Amino acid sequence: MTGPKAGERYRLVKEKTVIGRHPGCDIVVDSGAVSRQHAAVSLRDGGCWLEDLGSRNGTTVNGETLSEPYRLEDADEVGVCDQRFAFTIGDTTPSEWVSLGGDTDASRSVFHSRDDEEALIVSQLDIPRPSADDGLGQHAEAKLRAVIGLNRAIGSSLSLEDVLPKLLDGLFAIFPDAERGFVLLTDVKTNRLVLRAKKLKTAEEEGGLRLSLSLVNKVASSQRAILSADATSDSRFRLNESIVDCSIRSVMCVPFISSQGSVLGVLQVDSRDIRNGFSQEDLEVLAGIAGQAAKAVEQAIAHDEKVAQEHFKRDLELAQRVQQGLLPSVPPQIEGYAVFDFYEAAHQVGGDYFSYVQLGDGRVAVVLADVSGKGVSAALVMAALSADVRYTLAIEPDVAKAVTQLNASFMRSGWDDRFATFVVLVLDPKSDQVAVVSAGHLPVYLRRADGSVTAIGLEETGLPLGVDPTYVYEAATVTMTAGSTLVLYTDGISEAMDHHNEPYGLVRLEKTLADQASTAEEVGRRVLADVERHAAGQVRSDDMCLVCVARPAESS
């Protein structure tokens, strides 16, 4: 029902149909949040049973998280992360269904049906736009009373959470015979109507809340108000189980139309009392209310979106502060060596990571990592990885074995779709020996005093973290001679783009490193300046991280 495969149908004929991200699944959902084997539908005991396969993000049915096998019923809505499926028996059209997943308090039980016969609709009305100024017209007193009541109810409210319940309260005061009222708003992502508010005069009917599919679709598609004075005799709804079962005799349904002419949603009021059914005048009053209320709903939607953006912005700012707290504030003091580092996220938070870890016998580990993905999710993985790195390097003196253990731990963490390129060098300042282990990371460069530049440990470079839990990593060793510098970096350096979309590249990086420089900071600043010249002000799409570790020439 959503995503790039929206509209596709899968007939359940196998004993077990597996849903997941792995290409070998029967129904493949190509989304990073979906587990390799996420859920399955089994045919047994005369029905179709849905079960979650221990997925990381869970499976839902009609908005409820699945905790045990569930027997699917016609029109059930199955959620696999951000993708939604509909289970059907017979030939129904998912695009015509009404979703009740938007309101956590709403009953999940809803009847959906389809009848293409022409309706014997009692009355239809065009809805005035929020910007229309055509006076009150006929039934002025009732309309004026309704508008005053509406303004009084929602005038001081800004969010939908306040506006919609007050709107329904006002309608029940205006239409005392109304027994049920519903507001369904259009979900901009799926273009489906989602129940956002309801009001019931009495307890819900047995079997849960039921809405008429045919009616709301007709109103939304025609953008006209509809009155069905006796729904059970209306041919359009004659076969509609939801109306028949609820014994609804009188229904008014009107659309909310935005100032731009799009359908914001649908408002329905109904009654089972045939003796006091709604009239043409009632529909005109409700249509007038809808025209005015649409503006309040539109403003409330805009307000809620702005509030959500502000909350997201504050969350990002907090995440940025937390991430900055995980990164070194200053380079370490290493006897006989100098260290320069630079870090800048492309967005407020990023997936690049670097750290210094003090080990036994005066050794120091320098770590760089680049987690796949961007934004908050990558930053969270980075935070977890940083803790694992410190723990693993502290308990395992052999750096190659430490990275092997780190990879296994990364796989056990259940990141599923995530991986990270990773490089660590362990410097022993007493012997000037450096051990380098790379897990799929970019080459570490050694710049010697004569300006020659060599990539270290290319043959020993292994797979990125998170690819193979059994992979065994190897270390390369090198001696730091006087005047030499080790350079570690992430792809924000090598893949910085110019205005022709050409990357900075490793060839240019090697050339820049070969230029004359005497200190770690001078090497680092020269690289950063050259990258900036190449990018020429282009917006960066990736985080930039650079660490230079130098043994000064005068220490010889």
Side-chain angles (χ1 to χ4, degrees):
M1 298 171 67
T2 60
K5 294 187 178 181
E8 289 192 13
R9 301 187 184 193
Y10 302 88
R11 191 171 299 278
L12 301 175
V13 294
K14 297 178 61 177
E15 183 177 341
K16 186 174 185 179
T17 300
V18 179
I19 304 170
R21 181 167 49 84
H22 192 276
C25 292
D26 302 296
I27 300 177
V28 178
V29 183
D30 188 11
S31 172
V34 177
S35 297
R36 289 181 173 89
Q37 291 188 330
H38 197 102
V41 181
S42 301
L43 303 181
R44 67 173 189 271
D45 302 329
C48 295
W49 293 80
L50 175 70
E51 61 178 323
D52 184 81
L53 299 179
S55 65
R56 176 160 52 93
N57 292 316
T59 305
T60 63
V61 178
N62 301 324
E64 299 290 344
T65 301
L66 198 63
S67 59
E68 58 184 16
Y70 170 87
R71 182 164 181 164
L72 292 167
E73 297 179 359
D74 193 20
D76 276 339
E77 186 175 293
V78 176
V80 177
C81 297
D82 58 346
Q83 303 297 316
R84 292 210 304 273
F85 295 84
F87 174 77
T88 69
I89 299 174
D91 184 19
T92 54
T93 306
S95 61
E96 294 183 352
W97 295 353
V98 177
S99 172
L100 301 185
D103 183 357
T104 56
D105 295 328
S107 168
R108 302 295 190 233
S109 178
V110 58
F111 280 51
H112 304 288
S113 59
R114 180 182 181 190
D115 182 8
D116 292 329
E117 296 181 37
E118 187 61 33
L120 298 176
I121 296 172
V122 173
S123 178
Q124 298 188 60
L125 285 176
D126 289 322
I127 301 298
R129 300 288 172 84
S131 58
D133 186 19
D134 54 0
L136 292 175
Q138 199 174 14
H139 312 297
E141 182 180 352
K143 284 190 177 182
L144 181 60
R145 184 171 63 250
V147 171
I148 291 174
L150 173 65
N151 290 338
R152 185 176 300 161
I154 66 177
S156 60
S157 303
L158 294 175
S159 69
L160 283 174
E161 185 178 351
D162 294 330
V163 169
L164 299 184
K166 290 181 179 179
L167 171 61
L168 290 175
D169 289 342
L171 290 177
F172 272 55
I174 295 167
F175 304 110
D177 293 321
E179 296 184 358
R180 309 193 313 170
F182 306 103
V183 176
L184 299 96
L185 299 183
T186 303
D187 186 333
V188 295
K189 294 182 179 179
T190 63
N191 200 33
R192 300 175 70 237
L193 292 170
V194 177
L195 181 65
R196 297 297 300 270
K198 67 176 181 178
K199 182 177 177 65
L200 307 176
K201 182 172 289 186
T202 59
E204 288 188 16
E205 55 267 17
E206 185 177 352
L209 180 64
R210 303 176 187 181
L211 290 178
S212 168
L213 161 66
S214 303
L215 182 60
V216 295
N217 277 337
K218 176 65 176 178
V219 170
S221 62
S222 67
Q223 297 192 12
R224 307 192 78 196
I226 290 180
L227 166 66
S228 180
D230 186 355
T232 56
S233 66
D234 187 332
S235 68
R236 183 173 190 85
F237 311 120
R238 187 172 63 243
L239 301 181
N240 194 317
E241 188 179 13
S242 58
I243 288 184
V244 174
D245 283 0
C246 294
S247 301
I248 295 174
R249 302 294 182 177
S250 191
V251 182
M252 291 191 298
C253 193
V254 298
F256 290 130
I257 301 176
S258 73
S259 57
Q260 304 300 319
S262 61
V263 176
L264 297 172
V266 170
L267 169 65
Q268 177 178 314
V269 178
D270 57 51
S271 172
R272 286 176 285 188
D273 188 352
I274 190 173
R275 296 168 299 177
N276 297 293
F278 299 119
S279 65
Q280 173 71 17
E281 294 180 1
D282 291 331
L283 185 64
E284 292 180 8
V285 171
L286 188 61
I289 292 173
Q292 297 294 325
K295 184 175 183 179
V297 170
E298 193 170 16
Q299 291 175 341
I301 291 174
H303 170 269
D304 289 351
E305 289 177 349
K306 184 176 180 180
V307 169
Q309 290 173 357
E310 289 297 324
H311 287 166
F312 183 66
K313 181 180 179 181
R314 287 197 294 270
D315 288 345
L316 280 181
E317 290 172 351
L318 176 60
Q320 184 183 35
R321 291 196 296 270
V322 171
Q323 185 177 44
Q324 290 296 327
L326 295 174
L327 300 177
S329 56
V330 294
Q333 298 293 323
I334 306 175
E335 185 176 358
Y337 286 82
V339 181
F340 168 82
D341 59 41
F342 174 85
Y343 175 86
E344 186 172 86
H347 307 287
Q348 285 184 283
V349 292
D352 281 10
Y353 157 68
F354 77 104
S355 182
Y356 308 107
V357 182
Q358 296 290 339
L359 305 177
D361 301 326
R363 297 177 304 144
V364 178
V366 181
V367 179
L368 256 75
D370 184 358
V371 175
S372 62
K374 302 285 191 299
V376 174
S377 60
L380 290 173
V381 177
M382 182 273 282
L385 178 61
S386 67
D388 278 352
V389 166
R390 289 186 172 277
Y391 174 76
T392 306
L393 290 176
I395 64 173
E396 177 52 66
D398 186 313
V399 64
K401 291 181 179 179
V403 176
T404 300
Q405 293 176 13
L406 180 66
N407 176 58
S409 174
F410 190 91
M411 295 291 291
R412 288 195 301 270
S413 297
W415 300 119
D416 203 22
D417 58 313
R418 296 286 181 179
F419 65 90
T421 63
F422 177 88
V423 63
V424 54
L425 63 84
V426 175
L427 168 65
D428 186 348
K430 296 178 181 179
S431 64
D432 297 319
Q433 293 291 306
V434 177
V436 179
V437 179
S438 175
H441 202 75
L442 293 162
V444 175
Y445 285 113
L446 174 64
R447 180 193 184 278
R448 300 191 183 277
D450 60 3
S452 60
V453 178
T454 306
I456 302 300
L458 291 181
E459 293 183 359
E460 291 83 3
T461 297
L463 296 174
L465 302 180
V467 176
D468 181 357
T470 64
Y471 193 84
V472 177
Y473 292 86
E474 300 179 31
T477 58
V478 64
T479 300
M480 291 287 287
T481 57
S484 61
T485 304
L486 279 168
V487 180
L488 300 82
Y489 54 95
T490 59
D491 57 8
I493 299 287
S494 59
E495 296 180 4
M497 298 292 182
D498 64 8
H499 63 283
H500 293 302
N501 240 13
E502 292 293 331
Y504 182 75
L506 297 182
V507 173
R508 182 164 176 172
L509 175 59
E510 292 180 21
K511 183 178 179 181
T512 303
L513 291 175
D515 291 341
Q516 184 176 358
S518 57
T519 66
E521 181 172 359
E522 189 174 349
V523 171
R525 296 292 182 192
R526 189 183 298 276
V527 170
L528 294 173
D530 196 50
V531 170
E532 191 66 31
R533 281 193 296 271
H534 174 79
Q538 297 295 305
V539 177
R540 286 195 298 274
S541 60
D542 210 344
D543 309 329
M544 290 179 58
C545 185
L546 175 71
V547 177
C548 301
V549 181
R551 180 185 175 192
E554 59 267 24
S555 65
S556 57

